[in-house]
Amino acid sequence: AQTVTQSQPEMSVQEAETVTLSCTYDTSESDYYLFWYKQPPSRQMILVIRQEAYKQQNATENRFSVNFQKAAKSFSLKISDSQLGDAAMYFCAYRSHLNYGGATNKLIFGTGTLLAVQP
Amino acid sequence: DVKVTQSSRYLVKRTGEKVFLECVQDMDHENMFWYRQDPGLGLRLIYFSYDVKMKEKGDIPEGYSVSREKKERFSLILESASTNQTSMYLCASSHRQGHCANTEAFFGQGTRLTVV
C-alpha cells in the first residue's frame, strides 16, 4: 500500500523569504501523480501544484515549485517570496495513475505541515 | 465555478444519535470521498465511491456507512454517534483516472462535528 510522510509538523518563515516543505512517499508503482494542497484557516482545501511521475521536469506555479526526486521518492515544495497569505496547513498527496477502479482511485494524504509566516 | 458543497459547517449531536453528513458536487465527477481530519493525523479516508451505488472502504470505515444513490450526492452516515467521532469531516470529488489526465480532487469546506 502507498504511504505519504511529512516529517515537519510545523514550519515558520519570514515574509519575503523562501521555505521548503518536505514530503516522502512509498509506492511500488511507476506511474502516479503527486499533489500539494493548501488548507488555510477558512478550511477550504485548494490545490497548489501537481506533478506527474513520468515527467522529469519539476512543476512550477508562480512562487511555488517542487523538487521531484523519483528514485528517492521525495517531493518537496518550495515557496519563494513568502507572503502572509501563504500561512496555512500544507498537505502532500499521492494518487495512482492506474485505472482499475476501486482502490486505484484513492487519494492518499500525509499528516500535513503547518506553515506560519512572520511579518 | 466548480463546487463541492457540504450541508453543514458545524454540527452538534448527542451520543447514540444517527447522523447524516451530505455532500453534493456539480462537476459530474465519478469519484467522491469522505475524509476525517484530526490534528497530527492528517486526512484519513473513511469511504469512497467511484460510481453510483458503488462504495469502497477506506482506512477507517468502522462506525460509518455511506450512500451514493445519485452521481452528484455522497452521504456519510454515523449509525450511532460516539464521542470519538468528534472531528472535522471533509468531502471531495474528482474524475476517475482515464477520464482526463492530471485530474485533481476538489474539496468541500468541511463539517466540524461535535458529539456530546
Side-chain angles (χ1 to χ4, degrees), chain B residues 1-115:
Chain B
D1 197 18
V2 297
K3 191 173 283 188
V4 178
T5 304
Q6 293 183 230
S7 52
S8 305
R9 279 184 68 88
Y10 300 94
L11 271 180
V12 180
K13 296 291 182 180
R14 295 193 179 276
T15 302
E17 274 194 79
K18 190 169 186 176
V19 181
F20 293 86
L21 302 184
E22 306 286 347
C23 177
V24 177
Q25 50 94 3
D26 63 0
M27 295 165 281
D28 200 35
H29 283 164
E30 296 82 11
N31 295 334
M32 295 189 76
F33 307 84
W34 275 108
Y35 289 90
R36 172 176 170 160
Q37 183 179 3
D38 299 288
L41 298 178
L43 276 71
R44 292 181 292 167
L45 184 62
I46 304 171
Y47 267 98
F48 67 102
S49 169
Y50 54 90
D51 206 344
V52 176
K53 297 191 185 293
M54 304 303 290
K55 59 185 178 184
E56 292 255 353
K57 292 181 179 179
D59 301 315
I60 51 165
E62 296 78 19
Y64 303 94
S65 62
V66 291
S67 172
R68 188 145 181 225
E69 296 297 317
K70 294 185 177 182
K71 190 175 185 180
E72 66 271 19
R73 185 181 297 270
F74 191 37
S75 303
L76 179 69
I77 304 156
L78 286 67
E79 295 289 343
S80 178
S82 63
T83 55
N84 63 13
Q85 292 178 310
T86 291
S87 187
M88 173 76 76
Y89 291 86
L90 291 173
C91 175
S93 71
S94 74
H95 280 303
R96 189 183 303 163
Q97 286 95 309
H99 182 282
C100 54
N102 237 349
T103 178
E104 68 183 270
F106 293 85
F107 285 81
Q109 283 201 299
T111 297
R112 185 170 295 283
L113 173 68
T114 302
V115 182

Side-chain angles (χ1 to χ4, degrees), chain A residues 39-99:
Chain A
Q39 186 183 43
S42 68
R43 299 183 346 208
Q44 184 68 55
M45 191 87 78
I46 55 175
L47 180 69
V48 174
I49 199 166
R50 67 184 132 213
Q51 174 82 41
E52 298 121 311
Y54 65 88
K55 288 188 176 179
Q56 292 187 333
Q57 187 172 6
N58 289 324
T60 299
E61 289 286 343
N62 301 314
R63 297 182 295 108
F64 298 87
S65 61
V66 299
N67 183 6
F68 173 49
Q69 301 289 328
K70 191 173 184 180
K73 296 180 182 174
S74 171
F75 182 60
S76 61
L77 174 70
K78 185 171 82 170
I79 306 174
S80 303
D81 186 25
S82 297
Q83 300 175 0
L84 294 177
D86 295 333
M89 181 72 85
Y90 287 82
F91 290 97
C92 179
Y94 170 102
R95 184 176 182 183
S96 173
H97 183 63
L98 298 174
N99 185 22

